[in-house]
Amino acid sequence: MTTDNALDDVDAAAAETFALRRGDAFAITADHIYVARGDGEPIRIAFEDVVEVEYNAFDWFLAVLSVGLVVFGGYSTTEHVLGGIAFAAVGVASLFVTYRKRGKLSFKVTGRTKPLTVFPERPNAAYEALRPRLSE
């Protein structure tokens, strides 16, 4: 597993630590999930407080729609250049945002209004490490 020093208070021997794409770390222990982001204190969540975990590898539907916008924009430049470029630009921006949100792990937690979302560098490995602990 990838280790990072952002979670100094977590017992390294008992935790699986994953690096997040935008820095910092995400650690899984026997009974808690730790997320270190920025300069603040790490977020600590007990597994018993986790209501649901959602894993999105990649949104292929939105990616295909984005590519369709780019193609339509390219084709539309024969009739209206600015309109075609605008459609193509929106398609490229949508494809970029879709790519950035790949491998998203969202935790719905009791007592939090918004889900806690992390983007691990190795999302499949992080999700597989979570699965046995969540089924208990």
Side-chain angles (χ1 to χ4, degrees), residues 18-40:
F18 301 91
L20 298 178
R21 272 189 280 163
R22 297 182 184 126
D24 298 319
F26 163 68
I28 303 167
T29 64
D31 54 351
H32 287 88
I33 299 169
Y34 293 89
V35 179
R37 283 195 231 158
D39 297 331

Side-chain angles (χ1 to χ4, degrees), residues 6 9 11 16 33 41 44-47 71 83 95 100 108 117 119 122-123 132 136:
D9 60 337
D11 183 16
E16 294 182 74
I33 299 169
E41 291 288 319
R44 179 179 158 209
I45 299 170
F47 279 116
V71 170
L95 192 59
R100 282 196 67 196
K108 291 184 182 174
T117 303
F119 297 93
R122 297 179 24 214
E136 296 173 353

Side-chain angles (χ1 to χ4, degrees), residues 21-22 57-59 62-63 66 92-103 119:
R21 272 189 280 163
R22 297 182 184 126
F58 189 73
D59 192 354
L62 190 56
S66 301
V92 168
S94 177
L95 192 59
F96 177 72
V97 169
T98 302
Y99 179 74
R100 282 196 67 196
K101 290 189 175 189
R102 74 194 185 283
F119 297 93

Side-chain angles (χ1 to χ4, degrees), residues 7 10 17 28 40-41 43 50 55-56 60 82 84-85 89 93 98 100-101 107-109 117 119 126 136:
L7 298 170
V10 178
T17 305
I28 303 167
E41 291 288 319
I43 299 169
V50 175
Y55 172 57
N56 293 330
W60 286 102
L82 290 178
I85 290 173
T98 302
R100 282 196 67 196
K101 290 189 175 189
F107 301 96
K108 291 184 182 174
V109 182
T117 303
F119 297 93
E136 296 173 353

